Amino acid sequence: MSNLLSVCDIKDEVLDILELAKNFKEGKMEEKPLAGKSLAMIFQKSSTRTRVSFDVGMYQLGGQALFLSSSELQMGRGEPIPDTAKVLSRFVDGIMIRAIEHDDVVELAKYSDVPVISGLTNLEHPCQALADMLTIQEHLGKLEGKKLCFVGDGNNVCNSLLLMAPLVGMDMSVACPEGYEPNEDIVNMAKKLAEEHNKEITISSDLKVALDNVDVVYTDVWVSMGDEKEAEQRQKDFAPYQVNSNLMSLANDGAIFMHCLPAIRGQEVSGEVIDGPQSVVFDEAENRLHAQKAVLYHFFKITFFQILIFIIFS
């Protein structure tokens, strides 16, 4: 069973999925290819872009999406994850889950008989990274040979971008204070992928080093859900890393600014940058829809052909 829990699950298919997303956005795909299909959407964390993009995406593809908050599921009352996975597999064709702990999603996928798609965990956000790459491709014309710098907290979004950048031909750097580096295992895997693709991954607390020859400047909130108790300390530590006009001037001419949203103007980014001409954040948000449709089509179609092959040869 194919799942999307990490960028590594699609490392050989990223460019194909991006091409699908581009074709969906341009209206070149068949109408209603997932007619009759159902997607269960489990949310342990609140969401705007993930919920709406998957819901609308399934509708536009001809299927239906079912919103299931963890508080409304028996899983929220202590039902084991394996039981939830087995039951939902009898009702729906796929499961999307936005979870707190990555291990919960791994366990759900282990016991599910239908594809499981991560809509975010504390470790990765692969669907966001796909939408980001689609956006960069649109605005810069290509991905190969470009460089992205993630500024701030080495969080789940940063982790997925680190893994995806070398797969699409990009170099990537991370500018963060000491103690806020991205996950060590993710960095090691990203560097391995970079070596295989002749690309470069750099982690530094020095903004000038990290922003050298950069075409994309990306940031995220300093205080993610679950980090609220550290808010005061984080704001102090990240203050020098605010993406403002001075920081943007360290990047290449024509560099674009990205943020997965929601954003807090005056903290991780200044209003003049996020609302300025270099910002592509709302194109980036829209592209969540097209990337999600590509993911759904990719995983649901794979399941269909697997079943077809099984019937033919059984």
Side-chain angles (χ1 to χ4, degrees):
M1 181 60 59
S2 297
N3 303 296
L4 177 52
L5 313 186
S6 164
V7 168
C8 292
D9 292 329
I10 53 169
K11 65 179 182 178
D12 297 323
E13 301 151 314
V14 167
L15 294 177
D16 291 338
I17 295 173
L18 289 174
E19 185 65 21
L20 274 175
K22 179 175 178 287
N23 288 336
F24 273 119
K25 188 170 186 177
E26 295 175 355
K28 295 180 179 179
M29 299 296 291
E30 62 185 292
E31 292 188 8
K32 312 297 184 183
L34 299 186
K37 301 287 187 180
S38 297
L39 175 73
M41 304 192 304
I42 301 174
F43 285 86
Q44 294 180 348
K45 302 180 77 171
S46 59
S47 169
T48 298
R49 281 149 291 276
T50 298
R51 177 177 177 179
V52 175
S53 57
F54 270 108
D55 200 334
V56 173
M58 276 299 289
Y59 172 78
Q60 291 182 357
L61 293 173
Q64 65 171 336
L66 309 170
F67 173 77
L68 305 168
S69 73
S70 58
S71 62
E72 295 170 341
L73 290 173
Q74 294 298 330
M75 192 169 70
R77 297 177 58 197
E79 181 176 53
I81 290 175
D83 289 1
T84 298
K86 291 174 183 178
V87 169
L88 287 179
S89 296
R90 302 293 182 98
F91 295 144
V92 299
D93 302 286
I95 302 170
M96 188 284 298
I97 178 168
R98 184 177 175 91
I100 297 171
E101 296 295 333
H102 189 78
D103 288 346
D104 288 350
V105 180
V106 172
E107 186 176 14
L108 185 76
K110 179 179 178 180
Y111 292 96
S112 173
D113 294 323
V114 297
V116 173
I117 299 166
S118 170
L120 175 146
T121 70
N122 60 334
L123 185 63
E124 276 201 59
H125 199 350
C127 290
Q128 178 66 55
L130 284 166
D132 294 336
M133 294 305 166
L134 178 62
T135 308
I136 295 168
Q137 192 173 50
E138 287 178 344
H139 284 271
L140 300 184
K142 62 177 184 177
L143 297 168
E144 180 70 39
K146 300 299 182 181
K147 182 178 179 181
L148 180 153
C149 178
F150 188 96
V151 181
D153 188 17
N155 61 12
N156 47 8
V157 174
C158 179
N159 289 337
S160 286
L161 288 170
L162 280 167
L163 294 171
M164 191 167 289
L167 298 176
V168 299
M170 296 183 71
D171 297 317
M172 181 170 166
S173 59
V174 178
C176 60
E178 291 184 7
Y180 294 99
E181 295 86 359
N183 179 276
E184 184 177 357
D185 291 338
I186 295 284
V187 172
N188 290 336
M189 177 59 72
K191 288 184 175 180
K192 181 180 178 181
L193 292 171
E195 184 177 355
E196 292 172 1
H197 292 80
N198 196 28
K199 297 301 168 185
E200 186 175 349
I201 298 293
T202 306
I203 313 295
S204 177
S205 60
D206 189 322
L207 285 166
K208 290 184 178 180
V209 170
L211 284 153
D212 180 53
N213 196 33
V214 162
D215 304 291
V216 182
V217 178
Y218 197 123
T219 196
D220 196 358
V221 292
W222 293 341
V223 184
S224 299
M225 286 183 281
D227 296 328
E228 289 82 3
K229 293 181 179 180
E230 305 171 14
E232 185 176 350
Q233 185 61 50
R234 281 174 167 265
Q235 289 172 18
K236 291 178 182 177
D237 293 341
F238 286 114
Y241 293 82
Q242 182 191 74
V243 179
N244 50 39
S245 57
N246 289 333
L247 186 145
M248 288 296 296
S249 70
L250 298 175
N252 291 341
D253 292 340
I256 58 174
F257 169 74
M258 300 181 72
H259 192 305
C260 57
L261 302 179
I264 302 178
R265 290 163 174 79
Q267 285 196 17
E268 73 272 8
V269 61
S270 65
E272 63 185 350
V273 170
I274 194 171
D275 298 316
Q278 291 174 281
S279 175
V280 299
V281 298
F282 295 111
D283 291 341
E284 182 184 2
E286 178 194 337
N287 282 336
R288 288 293 302 278
L289 171 62
H290 309 299
Q292 252 75 298
K293 288 168 70 174
V295 166
L296 291 166
Y297 180 89
H298 176 79
F299 282 93
F300 280 30
K301 281 294 183 179
I302 285 176
T303 302
F304 171 77
F305 286 121
Q306 285 174 338
I307 293 171
L308 186 62
I309 289 170
F310 174 77
I311 292 173
I312 292 172
F313 290 100
S314 63

